[in-house]
Each structure stands twice: as structure tokens, then as C-alpha cells.
Amino acid sequence: MNSNKRFSIRRFAVSTLIVIGLGLLPVFQTALYATGVTEDRESILLQPIIDQADTGAVIRLESGRYAGPVLISKALTLIGDDSVTIHNEQEQSAISIQAEGVKMEGFTIEHHGRQPAAAVQITGSNNEISELMIRTKGAGLLVRDAATSVIRNNTIEWAGASTASSSQKGNGIDLYNSHNSRIEGNQIEGVLDSIYLENSRNVTVNDNRFMQTRYGIHCMYIDGSSVTNNTGEGNMTGAMIMGVKNTVVSGNTFRKQSSNVHSQGILLYDVHQSKIRSNTVEGNRVGMNIAESTDNEIYDNGLIRNFVGIQMVLAEGNQFTKNRFVSNVIDASTMDSKDNILKENYWDSFQGLDLNQDGISELSYAINPFYEQLISRNAAYQLFFQSPGMVFLSDLHSEGKSNWTTDESPQMSIVNEHTDVSETSGNFGTDARNVESRSSTVTIIGLLLLGLSASTMIYMGVWRK
């Protein structure tokens, strides 16, 4: 009897679990669908919706997953929200825009096609892409021969393996031969170069943020453009500005580009007749690297806590005015750079003399070329990059001092030309006070330990006697 009862109980329990399981099956299916674990046959085909729409139509996508790839060859507006996802598993761009007058806004694109395929490829002019969340295993947005594009307030993230090599990654926003375009307010992380511009004129790159990429902004052969108010952190280089003229680089902040011996906040290479103004470069290997560049105005920049503040090689005829060099290991280094005008810069390592109290030192500040000459002879010396011995040897070097690049009128204190930088500079006072406080504490503890050691030795000596 007891055996039969146990069997009945087991059978009842198994039956109950089966019923519960069948009841929960739709819930699990719904959860899988919501998290994107679904097959293509469960997705809505987007191309027929595009094809059936009239030119100029506004398509508001309902919640769900839509399958790409998609080709847009007529003017229309495609709007969604964060409940709308377009996914693409094929080795081509998720969305290709060949028409003019296309607008896309508000939804998510999951692109699993590999480089060089992109989440969005644009070959038509006068298009606007805004408020998209793009997760890509290839490139983000490719813009080709497409003038007057607007790319605004998008988030672009690398969705591939964290161990992927540079050759496997595409750029976040890649613009070629596309004039009069605007790239504003985007956040980009983990791709190859966040924003790559080539062979374009009158392009505005403003208020973007990029992290953990190779180059935050990479400019090649652009003219009459502006790179303003962008923020980069933890990239190999913040801004790589190359082959550029008549361009403004202003109000940008690049911090903690120091992971590579070639890391720098801003690189100017083959840059001419441009204005580099009111930028902050902090905590980089090199704050600003200027090579083979001429006739530029470098004004009101904050170079803070870098190993080398400014590095110049074959840079001629540039004007450096009212820049601030604060807490760098080496303020500046130069080699084969002549006819540069330096005036009214602030060098915190310089002890000036202001006899007439006008805020300008009567003593000049000469830039020691030792470090640059040393690594030019043997690049392997960069291994000693942060060695205290490097600074010590630099201080001993004085050969040819009459020919060194010189600031003839250094500022005696920081001139608050740029609000953000002055605020940062204000923090240095706090940092200095904190360091001083910590130093005093360490000194007191050291004296106490020294006294304790002396007392112990005296006591032990008396005890032995």
C-alpha cells in the first residue's frame, strides 16, 4: 500500500511539472524573442515595407525585430524607438542609402557583417542620421561622395570580440569626399578610429565623445573644416590631424592617451595655416606633437600632466602664444624646428624674474632639445620614457643653448583665457595642497619611526650592558 502511494505521489508530481512547463513555454518564447535570441523567420522583413512606401513617406516602425539588409533608393523618413531593432547577419551593409533626402531616427541596428561592411552606408547627399544605437562587428557609418550629410547624436559600439585586431575592426564614422557635412553629438567606443575624415571640405566635427579606440579623430587631407568641443579618453591618440589646411581645432579635451609609445593627445602632421586653440591635453604620453607643420596659430591650450607637453620636429614658422604648461615631466622638446615664435606662455617649471610687475618675465625660457635628439639617434631609448634619469640628464644638457627654441616673454602666472582650462588649473592648487598635506604626514611619520628606531637602539645598547 505504501509503495502504491509513493508511486501515485511521484506520478502526480511529474504530471504537475509537465503542466507547469507547458504553461510557461509561451513565456520563455516571448522572453527569447524580446532579448533577440530568435531566428530570421521570426523577424519582420523590412525591405517590402520600404518598397511599398511612396517617395517622401514617413514610416513609423512598430515594436519588433526587422531583418536586413535593406536598400533605400528614394527619399523617405524611417522612425523607430528603442523597442525597434534592425538586425543584419549578412556580409553586406545592414542599410544602404543611395537616395537623397533620407532621414533615419531613433532605433537600434545590430550589424554582424564583418569589415568592410557597415551598419549604414550612405552614397546619396542631403541625408540625416540621428539618435540611432549602432552595434557593429564591422564599420558603423560609411559616407561616400555624399555632400551635406548630417550625423547627429548616435551611439556606435563595437559588438565583436574584445580581442579583435585592428584589421578586423571598422571605423565608427568614416567620411570620404563628402563636403559640407556635420558630425555632432555622437558617442563612439571600441572601434578602430571613431571619426575618420578624408578628402573633404567644410566639415564640422563638434561635441562628439570617443573612448577606447585607435584614433579618436583621424583627419586626412581636409580643408576649411572645424574640429571643436570633442572629448577623447583612453584612445591611442586623441586627434590625428594630417595633411590639413585652413582648419580650426578648438575646445577639445583629450585625456589619458598613454597606452603606446606613439600615444599623444593631438598630432599635427603636415598641417598649415590652421588655428589650434583652447584645447586641453592632459595625462598623455605627449600632449601635442607637431611635425612638418608651418604657419599655424597655437594659442591658449592647456598642456597638463603629460610626459612631454609639446614635441616639435621640422615645425617651422608657427606661433605659440599664451599656452599653459602645468605639471608635465618635460615641458617641451624640439628638433630641426626654426623660426617659431613663442611668447607669453606659462611654464610652471620656470623660475622667471618680473622686475616691472607686468606679469611677464624679463628672463627668457629656452626649450632643451636633449630628449628629442636622444630618441632620434636611437628610438629604443623611449623604453626609459618615464625614468627619472632621463629628466636628470636633460637638466645637465646645455650644449648649443643659444640656438634653442626660446620663449622670450614667459608669463609669470596662468592667464585665464579659457574657462574650462582655468577650472582645471584651479584643481591643481587643490592637488598641490593635497600632495603637500600628504608629504607633511609622511614626514611626521618618518620622524616618528626614526625616533622609535633610535630609542630602540639606545635601549638595546643599555640592556646589553
Side-chain angles (χ1 to χ4, degrees):
M1 181 66 68
N2 290 337
S3 176
N4 290 335
K5 284 185 178 180
R6 283 195 298 270
F7 177 75
S8 298
I9 291 170
R10 287 196 195 100
R11 186 168 59 183
F12 175 76
V14 170
S15 299
T16 301
L17 289 173
I18 291 172
V19 170
I20 292 172
L22 290 173
L24 290 175
L25 183 58
V27 177
F28 289 132
Q29 289 176 332
T30 302
L32 289 173
Y33 184 83
T35 56
V37 183
T38 179
E39 297 179 4
D40 287 348
R41 68 174 180 270
E42 296 174 337
S43 298
I44 304 165
L45 293 177
L46 183 56
Q47 188 67 60
I49 299 173
I50 300 294
D51 293 341
Q52 292 167 15
D54 295 330
T55 299
V58 176
I59 301 173
R60 297 184 182 275
L61 297 174
E62 296 181 358
S63 299
R65 285 177 63 81
Y66 295 79
V70 175
L71 172 64
I72 301 177
S73 56
K74 55 190 169 187
L76 53 79
T77 299
L78 196 62
I79 298 176
D81 57 28
D82 56 10
S83 69
V84 174
T85 298
I86 298 172
H87 70 96
N88 178 49
E89 312 297 330
Q90 299 187 32
E91 296 297 327
Q92 62 188 89
S93 295
I95 300 176
S96 297
I97 300 174
Q98 297 179 356
E100 296 189 7
V102 175
K103 293 184 179 180
M104 297 198 311
E105 178 184 333
F107 49 86
T108 297
I109 301 176
E110 294 178 353
H111 173 62
H112 298 286
R114 293 171 295 182
Q115 159 77 4
V120 180
Q121 179 158 342
I122 303 170
T123 54
S125 297
N126 301 306
N127 295 306
E128 182 174 335
I129 311 298
S130 62
E131 306 288 347
L132 298 185
M133 164 60 76
I134 295 174
R135 300 185 180 97
T136 181
K137 292 183 179 178
L141 291 105
L142 298 184
V143 184
R144 296 288 182 268
D145 305 303
T148 324
S149 298
V150 176
I151 301 172
R152 179 181 291 131
N153 297 337
N154 302 283
T155 299
I156 303 172
E157 298 176 352
W158 172 248
S162 60
T163 56
S165 65
S166 295
S167 62
Q168 294 174 295
K169 294 183 176 183
N171 297 323
I173 298 171
D174 188 315
L175 185 147
Y176 177 82
N177 196 36
S178 299
H179 314 304
N180 304 307
S181 295
R182 301 182 68 86
I183 301 172
E184 299 177 326
N186 302 282
Q187 181 161 311
I188 306 171
E189 184 171 0
V191 296
L192 181 59
D193 295 346
S194 292
I195 299 172
Y196 178 84
L197 313 177
E198 184 175 355
N199 195 38
S200 299
R201 298 187 304 275
N202 301 321
V203 177
T204 298
V205 180
N206 179 61
D207 196 28
N208 302 280
R209 178 176 173 80
F210 25 83
M211 298 168 288
Q212 305 302 321
T213 67
R214 184 182 66 168
Y215 306 145
I217 298 173
H218 190 178
C219 299
M220 296 283 292
Y221 313 117
I222 66 170
D223 187 6
S225 298
S226 63
V227 177
T228 56
N229 303 318
N230 302 283
T231 302
E233 185 169 321
N235 309 285
M236 192 172 87
T237 290
M240 181 78 74
I241 313 295
M242 307 175 70
V244 168
K245 60 182 180 180
N246 302 317
T247 290
V248 174
V249 180
S250 176
N252 304 286
T253 300
F254 301 111
R255 290 188 170 96
K256 300 179 182 179
Q257 274 73 218
S258 58
S259 61
N260 189 285
V261 293
H262 301 296
S263 289
Q264 54 239 317
I266 299 175
L267 169 69
L268 306 178
Y269 179 83
D270 189 24
V271 175
H272 311 279
Q273 295 89 48
S274 294
K275 298 181 186 297
I276 318 301
R277 308 187 67 171
S278 303
N279 301 283
T280 299
V281 286
E282 180 179 359
N284 306 288
R285 178 190 178 277
V286 175
M288 196 177 293
N289 189 346
I290 305 170
E292 301 186 32
S293 298
T294 61
D295 302 320
N296 299 294
E297 178 185 304
I298 300 164
Y299 174 84
D300 184 38
N301 299 283
L303 300 108
I304 304 161
R305 286 194 283 261
N306 307 285
F307 183 76
V308 179
I310 281 185
Q311 190 172 49
M312 289 188 284
V313 179
L314 297 171
E316 300 182 1
N318 302 288
Q319 183 166 310
F320 300 80
T321 310
K322 295 186 178 179
N323 302 287
R324 293 163 299 285
F325 295 80
V326 179
S327 299
N328 302 288
V329 178
I330 297 172
D331 282 331
S333 66
T334 66
M335 189 176 73
D336 299 327
S337 297
K338 60 183 181 180
D339 300 326
N340 295 295
I341 299 173
L342 280 73
K343 60 181 182 180
E344 298 182 16
N345 301 285
Y346 173 74
W347 314 82
D348 74 336
S349 62
F350 173 62
Q351 299 297 319
L353 182 63
D354 184 9
L355 297 175
N356 59 5
Q357 301 297 307
D358 64 351
I360 303 295
S361 173
E362 276 71 52
L363 300 177
S364 61
Y365 176 79
I367 297 174
N368 194 329
F370 171 79
Y371 175 74
E372 199 63 46
Q373 292 173 355
L374 186 67
I375 63 174
S376 68
R377 294 173 190 147
N378 190 338
Y381 285 129
Q382 291 181 85
L383 293 172
F384 303 104
F385 181 69
Q386 292 179 312
S387 167
M390 185 73 75
V391 180
F392 176 73
L393 291 173
S394 177
D395 290 341
L396 293 179
H397 178 74
S398 60
E399 181 181 351
K401 189 170 184 177
S402 60
N403 296 320
W404 292 2
T405 300
T406 301
D407 186 335
E408 299 293 347
S409 53
Q411 288 277 357
M412 293 295 293
S413 60
I414 293 177
V415 176
N416 295 329
E417 297 285 341
H418 184 227
T419 302
D420 291 342
V421 178
S422 66
E423 288 174 356
T424 305
S425 301
N427 291 336
F428 288 138
T430 302
D431 291 344
R433 287 190 294 271
N434 290 339
V435 170
E436 183 178 353
S437 175
R438 288 194 297 269
S439 177
S440 299
T441 302
V442 170
T443 301
I444 292 169
I445 293 172
L447 290 173
L448 289 173
L449 290 173
L450 180 62
L452 180 61
S453 299
S455 300
T456 302
M457 287 186 289
I458 292 170
Y459 174 79
M460 291 297 293
V462 172
W463 182 79
R464 284 177 181 172
K465 291 178 181 181

